[in-house]
Each structure stands twice: as structure tokens, then as C-alpha cells.
Amino acid sequence: MNEGQVVPVQITDEIKTSFINYAMSVIVDRALPDVRDGLKPVQRRILYAMQRMGLASDRKHSKSAGVVGEVIGKYHPHGDAAVYDAMVRLAQPWNLRYPLVHGQGNFGSIDGDPAAAYRYTEARLTQVAEAMLADIDKETVDFRENFDGTTQEPNVLPAAVPNLVVNGASGIAVGMATNLAPHNLTEVVDGLVAMIDDPAIDAAGLMQHIKGPDFPTGGIMGREGIRQAFETGRGSIRVRGRARIEERNNRHSIVVTEIPYQVNKTSLIQTVAGLVRAKKIEDIAQLRDESDRQGMRIVFELKRGSVPELVLNQLYKFTQLQSTFAVNNVVIVEGSPRVLPMREMLRHYLEHRSGVVRRRSEFELRKARERAHILEGYLIALDNLDAVIALIRSSKDGPEAREGLMREFGLSEAQAQAVLDMRLQRLTGLERDRIQEEYRELQEEIARLELILTEEAELWRVIREELLDVRQRFGDVRRTAIADLSDDISKEDLIAEENVVVTLTRGGYIKRTPITSYRAQARGGRGVSAQRAKEDDVNSLLLVGSTHDYLLFFTDRGRVYREKIYDLPEAERGARGNHIRNILPLDEGETVQTVLALKSFDIDGYFVFATRQGLIKRTAIREYGNINASGLIAINLLEGDALVAVRITDGAADIVLGTRGGQAIRFSEDDVRETGRATQGVIGIRLKKVDEVVSLAAISDDDKETAELLSVTEYGFGKRTGLEEYPLQGRGGQGVITHKLTDRTGAMVSLNHVLGEEELFVLSQNGILIRTKVDQVSSYGRSSQGVTIQRMGEGDAVVAAMVMPDEEDLERGMDERKGTKA
């Protein structure tokens, strides 16, 4: 092509070619580490330049500006900021598990503060970096010309330390990125030694030695993603900061002493402060950063009465106190990027060290042989000392003497020249002994080096010993603990466990309200408004449970649905709540009849069911453990029948059924055989034509001696009656009278068993709730009318009466007799 000739080129082809060249340059020469020494080109050039400048670990520090100038002047023709930033990172102990540069001055902080300008800071190599550069002058690695051809630079460092694995790396190239986790040097060396001893070792075998990443900032790491990262080179590892709960003056504090790797401490504190201001985390009263030279200490002081475990879970969920380290082992292997699992990275490192030790041995063998050759010349000259001196004295110049020595004594040119250069001091007898001793030692060294080069086992023995020496010199204890962490913080972990009142109206509106919103009243009071119901709506169900309990909704059609109490809408005492159909997939016309709170389905116990037509059924609780979103059949009902109530029993209870007509029957739970989930049950009480079952009570064996039955009627009358007044009958009878009913009392609404220390909640159809101690309700016989519990306004009537543990029992948590909170 003639000079100045224009050649037409497709612009798309030119852009494609140029971009590919640019991308490969970034991938290979800038962003990704080499699998052999774990360094990017700029890092390698910094370390090599510092060695050439004599900045050893036992020498004084030198200005960082001088290092930067040396690097960009001879090896790295890029901006000084890029070089200095890379050098600063090599010196930061919160970024590198084993720093390669020892900085003096302001090299930044874990708070994200930048380092001082390079004219203010000083640096030198660390001992680990010196091990990375060891034997580089023994032809152990290939060199290439620098960018302007004025000097040489190494393609790779000898790397006596497995830097890629122990320090990790991160970088963003074109179309790919790398993120290698740091590991503990002691564990990595153990893994390498195990691989030397057993080249076929697999990932599981390596994990017996290398437990997982070991981050410079410590923390706690989950186990879930470690195996995947080891086996594939990619994985997601969950890391948490290390925190503890302290108590002082009846106030709790959360103290964080370690944070996840590459998390900015200042950013973490600012995030928490923002969440506190936004009231997403409400229980933190004050936060302080008390970190100093002795270590990190972030203090979150909590409000009185808060649950520290709950706040800690909120910090894990909403802040960087729990983060995910995405392992992506993309490295340069023979000039190309590859994703490598742990075993392959270690194998490539061992192959590199094998080449380094072999080349070093060849270099040392050549030097040893050259020195032995010279010593052999010395010994010949000393054996013929007088003749050698005479020959030298008779020669007119050096070349003639050299030729004479070569001719008369059979010396090589190098030996003859060495004899001529020998000082007279070496002619003494003592010096002769030293030469002979040196020659003997050299013969042993030559034999050792020849053995390394000829015997593969000896070569790997040397590599093994050098790795163990590295472990001895630089190994330390693990900083990051490994624990079983869940994949995520569950919703339950973020919600305080507290007792709440759950109310459900006949119109289907449900809510939960803190139990403290209701104040206790004396018997006979007017009560307080539980909620503002619509004119055609009334309260029908009331339950007290923990926010962490399961809430079981049993409907009149014999189905059961399950929700967590904390998923119910929270509302104030006077609010109406949300409609149940927004929560449960109820069929048209299906209504909830009974609601129970249950801590767990994995308990020994039974659900006992009672229907309106007097049927009774008993089924193990475990059969209901797999309730899905669409509900589950709890009991098969006869046509025209409906579910009235469900109770939880321990298998040895007495069952009492109460009817609207004031009758009750008591029989043993043993009379009701256990049946499967989708069954109808058996006859519990034989009813009169106009009667129906309204209540079901279950009295445990421990309570039978002290239990009473508390009945409440439609117009607010109630009484307590001793259980001993109810004869134990067989199942299927008509029962006995339990409450004398008149026009004044109205029909019986409920019949509950009590022990005397509970509280009674009575709801009226006009939305009036009264809460009173059970022991304020007088005791009467079965045939009495009772006393007024709640005065009914005109047109009002009781629709629900529930007995609950008192507040002290609620604070203790659960009713241990039944394993539930109810």
C-alpha cells in the first residue's frame, strides 16, 4: 500500500475490532487477577518497583510519591491516581486479609475516609509481599520489556504465598467481573498440602481443611453457599456482623464489634439512623460509634421494654449488618478469563510453584556447578603451588600466564583467570581447608538440586516444606466464624411477641389490638366500647393470643384456615378492622365459628369438635399440620348441621356440652374414639327438638377437682357452678339442667370451665365489651338464675362470653396445661 493511500473500511467492522481489542486489554491487562500470583498488572508492578527501590520490610519507609513515580515512569503508563489507589488498597487491613504494603500515615479508614495525598504518606513492603517476590532474581519467572523497552518487568511473581486464595480480588472488566473471597492462610496451606498428598482430592475433601472464606473484618458467615462456591466457582455467601447484647441499669444495648466484609461503617450507621427516623426500627433510643485503636464498637442503645433480639433481627434485615458476598472466581488462566472452582485455583497455583521451584533449582544448580568448577581450579593450583608461582613470574603479561596455566595444568580459561585473580591470602593452609570444605558442600548441594530435578517426589517434598514454612511464618487464627444462618430473616423474626386481643364480628370484620388497650372493670359495669360496629354488625368472637401464634379459623361448614396473628390487621380498640374475606378465601355464605391460637402443630394433643346437632369428634392435632392457603376439611358435617366449637385437649379431659336451652352433659373424652380428619363424629348429647348446642368445654384431669362451669345468658346473667354438681355420664344422654332460664335471663349463650383466677370478656351485639375477674362472679347451684354480669341496654344482648388467663398469666406466655395460648 502506497503511503497516503486511503483504504475503505466498514465502520461496523472497525468498531467491532477496536472494541474487542479494548475489551481484551481491560480483561487481561487491567481488571482481572492472574491465577498464579493473584495479582492484577498494576499490583504486580507496584510490588516489583518497591523491591527494586529497596523498600524491604526491615528498611525504613519511603515516600509514596516516589513509589508512584517509579511505577508510572517505568512500568505502568497510566494516571498516578490509579497507581496510588491500588497501592493504598494493598495496605488496608480491612480490605486485604494479609496486606502486601505497610503504610505509614493516613491510608484511609473503614469509615470510607480517603487516604492522604501520596506526598504525605510513606510505604514499604510487608514480609508477605517479600515472600511473593522471593527468588525472582533466580530466573524463576519470565520477564518482558516494559512499555518503552528501557527495562524489564516480570510477567508473574514467584508467589511463595497463595495470594489469590488468601487475599481474594475484585474487579470489573468488560462484560465480566470477578469477586474472589479471602481465606485463612493456615487453612489454605493445609488444603494445598492435602492436595499434594492426594492429587485426586475433591471439593468435600478440601473443605475438611479450608472451612470457607475468612474475611479481614471478621463477622459470622453462613454455610449455605460455601460448598457451591467451592464446587462451581460461583456462590452466594451470607455474612453477618458480630453483635452482642449488653444490659446496664435495666436497659439493653446492641454492641457491634465486627461488620461484614467491604461494608462501610459510616454508611451502616447512617442507614440505621435513617431507619430510626423513618420509624421502621422504633426501639433504638440512641446510637454511638465508640470505635478506637483497640477495635470496632458500634452501640445501639435500646428503649426500655424493647426486645433486643427483635431489634437485632431488624438490623440484620434492613441494614448492611447482614450482607451477601457473591463469589465469582473469574481469573486469567494462560491469557484467557475462566471461572474456576477452589480445587482448580489451588491446582494452578501448585503447578506455578512447581515451575518456580524447578527453574530456581536449575538456576542454583548452574551457579553451583560454575562455582565448583572454579574451586576445582583453585585446588589444582594449590596442589602445584610452586610451579604455578614460577609460571606466573616468568610470564610477561596476564594473557601469557593464563595460556600457560591452561597448557601446563589443564585448566579452563575461567579457572586460569580465577587463579590469576586469587589473592595471596588464599595460599595459606587455613584458606586451603576452607576451599576444600566449600567444594565438599557444593558437591552436596549439587547432588540435592539434581535430585529435585530428576525425582518428581523430591520436587513436591520441597514445595510442601516451603508451604509449611509459609504457614509457620504468616499463618494465624480464623477471624470469621462459620455458623448455620437461615437464608433470610423471617417476618416473624422482625415482629415483637406480645399478647393481643383478636376480635371478629358477625359481619366478618377482624382486627388485633394490644391487650393493654382494655382496662379491667368491676362486675356490673357498663363496659367500654370495643369497636364502632355498623348497625347491622355485632361482635361474635374474642380471643387472646401471641402475635407469633398460629390462628386457626374453623368455619360453620367444617373447614379450617390458618394465619399468623401478626398478619392480621392491627387496629385501635374503637376501630372496625378489615373484612375476613380479605384474609381468608371463604365461600359464599361461609362464616367463622371458632378461632383458636396454637403455638405449634407438633404437639401431643387433640382437637375436639362439637356440632349444633350434638355430634362430637376427636382428632389428633398433628393431622392438621399441612393447612394450605385454600384451607382444609376439619370435620365432615351432616346436611343441615354446623360446627359450633372446637377445643384443644390432652387426651384425658372431661367434655361438657352446653345447649341454648340450659342443658349440659358431662362425659369422659375416652368415650369419644379418635378418628381421622375427614370424619363426622359421634353423638355427644341428645337434643330436644327446639334445642341446639351452643358451647363446648374441655376440663383437663389436673383441673377437675377445682374447676367450675361459668354460664352466661343472653341478657347478661351469669354464675359459677362447681364441676362436682355435674354427674359424669356416658356419651349420648340428654344431660342435666345447668342454668335456670327465664324471660329475664334469656337463652344460654356460653358455658366455660374456669379455675377462678381468669378474666371474663363479655361482648354485646351493640359492641360493648366488659372485662372482669371471674372470681367476682358469684357461685350458685345448677338450678339458679345467677347474677347480673353486664347490664344490657334496651335492645342489646350478649353474643359472646370468653374466659382468658389473667394478665400475669399472659405475661408468662402460654397456658402450659394445654400447650397453647388461648
Side-chain angles (χ1 to χ4, degrees), residues 649-689:
T649 70
D650 57 8
D654 281 358
I655 304 300
V656 178
L657 297 177
T659 74
R660 187 171 181 82
Q663 293 292 111
I665 186 171
R666 173 189 175 193
F667 55 86
S668 173
E669 183 180 350
D670 291 336
D671 290 348
V672 184
R673 70 178 184 273
E674 180 184 347
T675 58
R677 180 174 51 80
T679 56
Q680 293 178 348
V682 294
I683 296 176
I685 186 171
R686 297 187 185 276
L687 301 172
K688 297 178 181 180
K689 290 184 179 180

Side-chain angles (χ1 to χ4, degrees), residues 259-281:
I259 61 177
Y261 183 48
Q262 293 181 336
V263 168
N264 184 301
K265 177 159 66 72
T266 298
S267 176
L268 171 64
I269 294 173
Q270 291 174 346
T271 299
V272 175
L275 292 170
V276 173
R277 286 193 297 270
K279 295 187 177 180
K280 197 165 186 178
I281 300 179

Side-chain angles (χ1 to χ4, degrees), residues 503 505 509 511-514 517-518 528-534 539 570-577 766-767 769:
T503 55
T505 73
Y509 289 91
K511 68 176 180 180
R512 62 181 170 95
T513 306
S517 296
Y518 298 92
V528 296
S529 177
Q531 68 182 52
R532 293 187 297 273
K534 298 193 301 183
N539 290 309
E570 183 176 6
E572 295 179 354
R573 187 182 63 211
R576 187 171 60 180
N766 287 343
L769 169 70

Side-chain angles (χ1 to χ4, degrees), residues 213-281:
D214 187 24
F215 300 107
T217 54
I220 303 172
M221 174 176 55
R223 304 178 192 273
E224 301 86 8
I226 297 177
R227 180 175 296 278
Q228 184 181 12
F230 268 62
E231 293 178 347
T232 67
R234 287 194 171 100
S236 181
I237 299 176
R238 195 172 301 279
V239 186
R240 287 181 180 175
R242 190 183 296 272
R244 64 175 182 267
I245 297 171
E246 296 182 354
E247 183 178 1
R248 181 180 298 177
N249 298 329
N250 294 324
R251 296 191 67 169
H252 290 93
S253 297
I254 295 174
V255 179
V256 177
T257 55
E258 296 173 0
I259 61 177
Y261 183 48
Q262 293 181 336
V263 168
N264 184 301
K265 177 159 66 72
T266 298
S267 176
L268 171 64
I269 294 173
Q270 291 174 346
T271 299
V272 175
L275 292 170
V276 173
R277 286 193 297 270
K279 295 187 177 180
K280 197 165 186 178
I281 300 179

Side-chain angles (χ1 to χ4, degrees), residues 12 21 36 48 96 204 213 250 262 264 281 339 383 496-498 500 529 543 545 557 569 598 635 667 676 679 736 818:
T12 54
N21 292 337
R36 297 168 291 178
Y48 181 65
L96 259 66
N250 294 324
Q262 293 181 336
N264 184 301
I281 300 179
V339 179
D383 288 341
E497 186 168 8
E498 60 181 352
V500 295
S529 177
L543 177 142
R557 297 184 182 178
L598 190 67
I635 181 174
F667 55 86
T679 56
V736 296
K818 296 182 180 178

Side-chain angles (χ1 to χ4, degrees), residues 282-301:
E282 297 183 346
D283 289 331
I284 294 179
Q286 192 176 28
L287 55 90
R288 300 185 301 275
D289 184 4
E290 299 179 355
S291 305
D292 54 22
R293 293 182 180 272
Q294 276 64 50
M296 183 179 298
R297 181 179 169 88
I298 308 171
V299 180
F300 301 102
E301 191 172 312

